Amino acid sequence: MKFLLLNFFTKNKTTILIAISVVVGMALLLKFPSKDNVITESFLNEDDVEYDDSENNFKNDTLEKHGLTAVENIVIKDDTEVRRTPNIARYNALYVLKFGTKIYTKNYDDKNSKAKEIDKSIVERETKNGFVAIYAVKPITLSEKPVGYVAVEDIVLKTQFKNFKPQPKRIEIDASTLAAIQNDLVVNGKMYQLIEDNKRFNNSITYGDYNNDGATDFAIILDTEDNSDSVLLAYLMDTEKNNYRLIFTHSATSYLKINTIVKQTPIVFKTETTSFPFDGIQITSNEPNPIYYFYSANTNSFTLVKN
């Protein structure tokens, strides 16, 4: 028996190796999908998508017949999550899409529609809770199901993409820093929040050793919800309790950028060059010259230094 098997493998060696290569190749392809900026069919699983078409009894009806069309969109955010359901429920993310990926959505065909009446509920059903149903290939009929949902703000129409200016990636704040900020969002009876615009946000927080104790402190600028006012918050690290303490606040309307001036850095002050023994906070505002805040041990607060 062993001789017959050995003889079979010897005579069919090439064919067997080819078959094994094909099987291994297919397994690898399924395990590691293409990284190109397209959604491939092997990516998708319709059973994973929550999509209610109970009201749609037009299995073979086209979008065109009902005054609808499929429009091309471009993903404008890296690692855009495609979700099984139109919400941010835990564990419902299917996969992520990269910036520049093309997808389709259903919409009204205002220009070319010949339909006597447009059923707006069809399109309204595509968008829920700030999420929109997306399609890997251009849908033709009403019965075609989406491959998932993405946040509406994460895509733009292809026709608008050429005018799109991507925002810089938002810098991350560690958990202890964020927790300290969230405890102090109300200052003098006014509610503030983290700056929403990514570029401004990245210029709104800075780190340094402001009281020269060897621990890292930080300062941040917050905005009101209507962006009419800003406030500067400065925190020192309490090394004994291992948490941040808010020790200084100052309201303003024209803060644009904040950064740390390392101690002993020469700065021009009243036409003379000087330096300070501690790290300081430099703020760029609408005024021609920057302003500085330096920690004072006598007051356990910050003192304004201004040209």
Side-chain angles (χ1 to χ4, degrees), residues 28-305:
L28 290 174
L29 180 61
L30 291 173
K31 186 173 182 180
F32 303 104
S34 171
K35 293 183 179 180
D36 292 339
N37 282 352
V38 294
I39 309 175
T40 61
E41 289 297 332
S42 60
F43 238 12
L44 314 177
N45 184 352
E46 286 191 355
D47 293 336
D48 282 337
V49 180
E50 180 190 85
Y51 187 70
D52 179 15
D53 64 348
S54 58
E55 298 179 6
N56 179 15
N57 297 317
F58 315 105
K59 293 299 181 183
N60 297 315
D61 279 5
T62 63
L63 296 177
E64 181 181 4
K65 179 179 178 180
H66 291 269
L68 307 177
T69 187
V71 294
E72 292 185 32
N73 300 264
I74 303 295
V75 174
I76 57 173
K77 176 186 173 185
D78 258 339
D79 299 328
T80 289
E81 292 184 328
V82 178
R83 295 184 171 274
R84 180 181 296 108
T85 54
N87 52 52
I88 54 175
R90 186 178 297 182
Y91 308 126
N92 78 339
L94 298 170
Y95 46 86
V96 297
L97 300 178
K98 296 298 182 182
F99 178 91
T101 303
K102 181 176 71 174
I103 50 90
Y104 293 88
T105 59
K106 293 177 182 177
N107 212 329
Y108 305 112
D109 191 358
D110 297 325
K111 294 183 179 180
N112 304 310
S113 175
K114 297 179 181 179
K116 295 181 180 179
E117 185 176 351
I118 297 177
D119 184 355
K120 293 187 177 182
S121 67
I122 298 175
V123 172
E124 290 171 355
R125 193 169 64 243
E126 300 283 305
T127 304
K128 302 176 184 177
N129 306 321
F131 290 84
V132 61
I134 64 168
Y135 299 79
V137 294
K138 187 174 183 178
I140 303 299
T141 65
L142 293 177
S143 60
E144 293 178 66
K145 293 184 178 181
V147 297
Y149 296 85
V150 300
V152 172
E153 64 267 21
D154 289 349
I155 62 175
V156 297
L157 292 173
K158 184 180 179 181
T159 54
Q160 300 173 355
F161 183 67
K162 61 181 179 181
N163 298 320
F164 172 74
K165 296 180 180 180
Q167 283 204 31
K169 190 173 182 179
R170 194 177 183 90
I171 61 174
E172 295 183 0
I173 301 179
D174 66 79
S176 59
T177 303
L178 184 59
I181 297 169
Q182 290 176 335
N183 285 334
D184 299 304
L185 294 179
V186 178
V187 180
N188 296 327
K190 186 175 291 187
M191 184 73 181
Y192 291 89
Q193 64 183 16
L194 294 172
I195 293 174
E196 294 182 340
D197 178 80
N198 286 359
K199 183 177 180 180
R200 282 197 63 223
F201 175 81
N202 293 345
N203 289 321
S204 73
I205 187 167
T206 188
Y207 301 86
D209 184 5
Y210 302 128
N211 59 346
N212 208 35
D213 66 349
T216 300
D217 313 308
F218 79 93
I220 188 167
I221 297 171
L222 304 178
D223 279 350
T224 53
E225 186 175 355
D226 61 2
N227 298 320
S228 61
D229 291 295
S230 302
V231 66
L232 167 66
L233 307 181
Y235 292 80
L236 296 184
M237 168 58 73
D238 187 330
T239 54
E240 293 183 359
K241 297 181 179 180
N242 194 32
N243 59 21
Y244 288 108
R245 291 184 296 109
L246 176 65
I247 67 163
F248 180 76
T249 67
H250 185 73
S251 299
T253 58
S254 60
Y255 286 167
L256 302 178
K257 183 178 180 179
I258 182 174
N259 63 284
T260 293
I261 299 297
V262 179
K263 63 182 180 180
Q264 305 301 338
T265 298
I267 61 174
V268 177
F269 180 64
K270 296 187 183 299
T271 71
E272 294 183 2
T273 301
T274 187
S275 62
F276 289 83
F278 295 172
D279 290 351
I281 302 169
Q282 178 183 17
I283 294 181
T284 303
S285 66
N286 291 328
E287 299 181 14
N289 297 315
I291 59 177
Y292 303 90
Y293 286 96
F294 290 94
Y295 176 75
S296 172
N298 293 332
T299 61
N300 190 31
S301 187
F302 281 78
T303 300
L304 173 66
V305 178

